[in-house]
Amino acid sequence: MPGPDQSDGSEEVRDAVERSRSGAPAAGAVVRDRFSADEVFQRIVAAADEELTSGKRELLFSAIAAGFAISITVLLTATLTATTNEHPVLSALLYPLGFIYIIIGGYQLYTENTLPPVALTLERLASIPTLFRHWSIVLTGNFIGGVIGAAVLAWGGVFSPEAATAAIHLGEHGVETPWWSVFFKATFAGLIVAGVVWVEYAAQDTISRVVVVYLAFLAIPIGDLFHVVTSFTEMFYVVFAGELSVVTGMIEFVLPVLLGNTIGGITLVTVVNYFQTSERRLDSIRLEGADRQLSIREWMLGGLAGQSYVPVIDTTGSIVFDDSNYRLLVPIANPRTESRLVDLACTLASQKESAMVHVVHIVQTPSQISQQYDAGQHHQIVDESDQLLENVREQISQYDVEYETSTVVSPRSFEEIFSIAKRNQTDLVVMEWGNNQLWNAARTDRPLKELTSQLSCDFLVFKNRGLDASRILLPIAGGPDSDLSGEIARTLQSTVGSEITLLHIVDGAENRDDGEQFLSNWAAEHELQDAAITVDDSGDVEAAIGREATNHTMLIIGSIERGLLSRLVTSTLYFDVIDEIDCSVLLVERPTKRSLFRRLFQ
């Protein structure tokens, strides 16, 4: 018989194995087949994180599928209404079928989304604009699917004449009901649907979920209540039948149902259930050392809209940073192959009076795979990453700089770079541009445009063709990016003795003197008076850089384009020459305050 220590150890292992990838519990703590309110909340928050950080395309099409599935409910309800002579119970028996498909199948339904995203927003782990964005996409998709379903039912010959008449009656019934009566009926329906979500996450098997969903949604037609997507589909069927105008149907029927469902879902269930949880409601292995709560301003205005509240693994939380240090963040995908990037960061840090190099091994995982990880696999991943980072630590120890290493595992790896940089008040991010998984992942990270247009620190992106900084070409056009380029060039000059050439392109020979004067003044202001000065009067920036780069070992460029990072990720760099030249390239971007107009249209 095992002793007390053995028993406790087995229980700890059992708990660890039974926790899901998200950190939400897979079994109850007190009674194994039941969850406490805190545990249910943890499971809902984990699911909400996946929903809010889904791509717009995936979210929209999942919502369209859900909206179309509601046409099954409309079809069966109208058919049973006709065949049972409008019996109030028999005609409603198959009403829940469409909802069972949606919830068990994981489709996005607007009323189901009143609970998980609001739970995340209440914790200030997602912003209010993010919540509204999510709702608008799901509701739009549901309505598109509902319109398609109504069109098929109206013009596809699906209904018998009797069922068609019954379907028209169902749609007209809502319009004929007084506005405030519709609203309050819809409020109770919102309570039922959001309650289903809470109970669904408390269930541990599919059969229990099916029973809960069936009984709960059966109560909607029996209670003569209204569900917004069903009501929308019924209304459009009547519109397609020529018996109702769209404007009348939307204002008199769909609008009060939408408001009632939303208020019922949020107020009567989400908020009530939230406040029955304790301060331990977010205790989970995913939150160890992670402080991701948004500020009030970010929460209200969406400064970090779309940010995932936690990665699968994040060991950066255990690092204590000295506020006096200049901080360089070096995200790497493969510690074996990105040694030159680390050397570059250490070289730059070595010229600072007090600097910290923080190397983060970011492991990209597909969402569907990461969901299967348990605590034991988490520790294995961290151990393997730490072994790979040992060579990095040995490499950095050759420089006179402080350093830290950590590991982050996330399906949104590129997004994590920006999150870590902001959270740790990084001064400069040094990352490699190439065919590695960080840049590949960037093409699918949903908040990419927002992240890359509102940088929290300086960025330096290294196109690795050998770390030879003996002859540096520095195109200059003025502005904050040129200032950062000058700082980088001056640092390399002082450490490796680089020969620097400043290049300025003007339109026509008549502007050459002005160009030379501009470069002379710029060089003096940036302590690069000994740099060679070259003015090209061809007016062709790309060709001029290409010609000059052939005689240099490194190109530092940051004065040509706005939105450099987003252009890199989307492969829309203005100059192809950056890809075509043979030398290494350093692309730099300094954060600037951009107007709403520029963020939208540039």
Side-chain angles (χ1 to χ4, degrees), residues 379-391:
H379 293 301
Q380 181 180 355
I381 293 172
V382 172
D383 290 343
E384 291 176 354
S385 174
D386 191 63
Q387 292 176 10
L388 292 172
L389 288 170
E390 181 59 35
N391 292 333

Side-chain angles (χ1 to χ4, degrees), residues 135-146:
W135 279 356
S136 63
I137 293 175
V138 172
L139 189 61
T140 299
N142 288 166
F143 282 177
I144 292 173

Side-chain angles (χ1 to χ4, degrees), residues 208-370:
S208 299
R209 293 187 178 96
V210 169
V211 172
V212 168
V213 171
Y214 178 82
L215 293 177
F217 280 97
L218 183 63
I220 292 178
I222 291 178
D224 194 25
L225 308 179
F226 299 104
H227 179 274
V228 63
V229 184
T230 307
S231 299
F232 180 85
T233 306
E234 292 173 345
M235 182 273 292
F236 253 92
Y237 178 85
V238 181
V239 170
F240 290 146
E243 302 292 332
L244 182 69
S245 71
V246 174
V247 175
T248 300
M250 292 296 294
I251 295 176
E252 297 297 328
F253 187 25
V254 176
L255 179 59
V257 177
L258 174 61
L259 294 175
N261 283 173
T262 304
I263 292 174
I266 294 175
T267 305
L268 299 182
V269 175
T270 303
V271 175
V272 171
N273 285 338
Y274 173 80
F275 284 108
Q276 73 167 321
T277 59
S278 71
E279 293 300 319
R280 296 178 55 84
R281 58 180 166 264
L282 282 183
D283 283 355
S284 69
I285 54 176
R286 285 183 75 190
L287 288 169
E288 287 180 359
D291 182 13
R292 296 295 182 93
Q293 196 171 59
L294 303 181
S295 68
I296 296 297
R297 180 179 179 277
E298 292 166 340
W299 183 62
M300 295 291 294
L301 302 179
L304 290 181
Q307 176 183 302
S308 171
Y309 82 108
V310 277
V312 180
I313 300 172
D314 185 356
T315 65
T316 61
S318 60
I319 299 175
V320 178
F321 293 94
D322 186 344
D323 291 339
S324 64
N325 281 340
Y326 181 88
R327 302 174 189 176
L328 292 88
L329 174 65
V330 188
I332 58 177
N334 189 340
R336 293 192 182 98
T337 61
E338 298 181 61
S339 59
R340 286 175 176 169
L341 182 69
V342 176
D343 282 330
L344 174 61
C346 291
T347 300
L348 298 176
S350 65
Q351 293 303 298
K352 298 292 182 180
E353 183 176 347
S354 177
M356 161 76 78
V357 176
H358 178 198
V359 179
V360 183
H361 181 202
I362 298 186
V363 182
Q364 167 77 22
T365 62
S367 297
Q368 62 271 26
I369 294 178
S370 61

